[in-house]
Amino acid sequence: MVARSRGVERAFAAGATTFLLCNPHNPLGLVHTRETLERVAELAEKYGVIVVSDEIHGPLVHDPANFTPFLSVSPAAREVGIALSSASKGWNLAGAKCAIMVAQSDRMLGLLERMPEEVGMRTSQLGLHGSIAAFTDGVPWLDALLATLSTSSALLGELLEEHLSAVTFRQPQASYLAWLDFSGLGWGPAPSIRALDEAKVALSPGLDFGSQGAGFARLNFACSPEVLTEAVTRLARVAA
């Protein structure tokens, strides 16, 4: 945590004005601790940086991890932060066009009020009512989904260990995405290309997430056990 905070502070001191925080993190599935978020808020207040916290994966945190909303951690966070969320990931309403922007300080509320009117007008009726239904009546459905995702994540770990041990990943604390390290296979910086061309398995290219994604690919495990098993065994046949 100390090393990460030093890197953030260097960026803030160098002149960064806005920090885009992915909370929980995609594609790592990392749930940031309250301590980490407090430190980000402290540094942002010190250097005059606005923190935009993307919390769209917040509903998809797996037990025993706990999601901490950025604005909840300290007065500094509320002074410098804007939180973004939606029902689109947790309740599969992507494309319904309804997002939520939350601010708790006069300064941040003022920024939201100065946004073009068209931003709010783009919300669809379907997205609005779908989101209300999800947040008010969809908790039992979400609980069942989280149980299924935990099972799928564990299954993915077992399949990789059995069929494709050279590919590694850390069990995500949130979401339905696995960040797979293909470097042990020697498939180069963009393993998703070979996965698609030879195994007919479509993965998100790691390089889409920056140069640090070289050798990685992202897999969506929100699927049936049969589909997940087929995907891993196809990859294993290519790697053999």
Side-chain angles (χ1 to χ4, degrees):
M1 190 272 185
V2 173
R4 291 197 299 270
S5 70
R6 288 173 180 167
V8 170
E9 183 165 17
R10 283 196 299 270
F12 288 1
T17 58
T18 305
F19 181 56
L20 301 180
L21 172 67
C22 198
N23 177 38
H25 189 277
N26 170 27
L28 298 182
L30 175 65
V31 176
H32 300 299
T33 65
R34 176 174 291 273
E35 178 188 19
T36 296
L37 297 175
E38 286 175 345
R39 181 59 175 155
V40 168
E42 176 187 330
L43 291 172
E45 186 176 48
K46 176 181 177 180
Y47 290 98
V49 174
I50 296 169
V51 178
V52 179
S53 183
D54 178 355
E55 302 181 354
I56 197 169
H57 290 272
L60 294 172
V61 171
H62 309 165
D63 286 335
N66 291 301
F67 169 65
T68 304
F70 180 71
L71 297 181
S72 73
V73 301
S74 67
R78 291 185 282 277
E79 181 60 33
V80 303
I82 295 172
L84 310 179
S85 191
S86 171
S88 63
K89 297 300 183 184
W91 287 269
N92 198 24
L93 298 178
K97 296 180 69 66
C98 183
I100 300 167
M101 295 180 286
V102 181
Q104 289 187 275
S105 70
D106 291 340
R107 178 188 173 208
M108 295 298 104
L109 287 169
L111 289 178
L112 294 184
E113 289 171 356
R114 292 200 296 273
M115 294 181 70
E117 185 177 3
E118 67 182 52
V119 174
M121 298 299 291
R122 288 177 178 175
T123 300
S124 75
Q125 289 294 315
L126 175 63
L128 171 64
H129 291 290
S131 297
I132 292 172
F135 290 136
T136 56
D137 301 316
V139 173
W141 186 92
L142 180 65
D143 289 341
L145 170 65
L146 289 171
T148 299
L149 292 179
S150 293
T151 300
S152 294
S153 180
L155 174 61
L156 176 59
E158 294 168 4
L159 290 169
L160 290 176
E161 184 176 358
E162 180 180 356
H163 301 287
L164 203 59
S165 59
V167 175
T168 60
F169 87 118
R170 181 177 63 182
Q171 290 282 347
Q173 297 174 301
S175 195
Y176 45 85
L177 302 164
W179 187 235
L180 304 181
D181 183 356
F182 281 81
S183 58
L185 284 181
W187 285 12
S192 62
I193 295 176
R194 188 166 180 182
L196 182 59
D197 289 347
E198 299 185 34
K200 307 306 179 186
V201 175
L203 306 173
S204 298
L207 288 171
D208 284 358
F209 300 91
S211 59
Q212 300 90 337
F216 288 81
R218 190 184 69 173
L219 179 146
N220 183 336
F221 57 80
C223 57
S224 70
E226 293 79 12
V227 169
L228 190 57
T229 301
E230 178 69 16
V232 173
T233 53
R234 285 189 185 191
L235 292 169
R237 284 196 293 269
V238 174

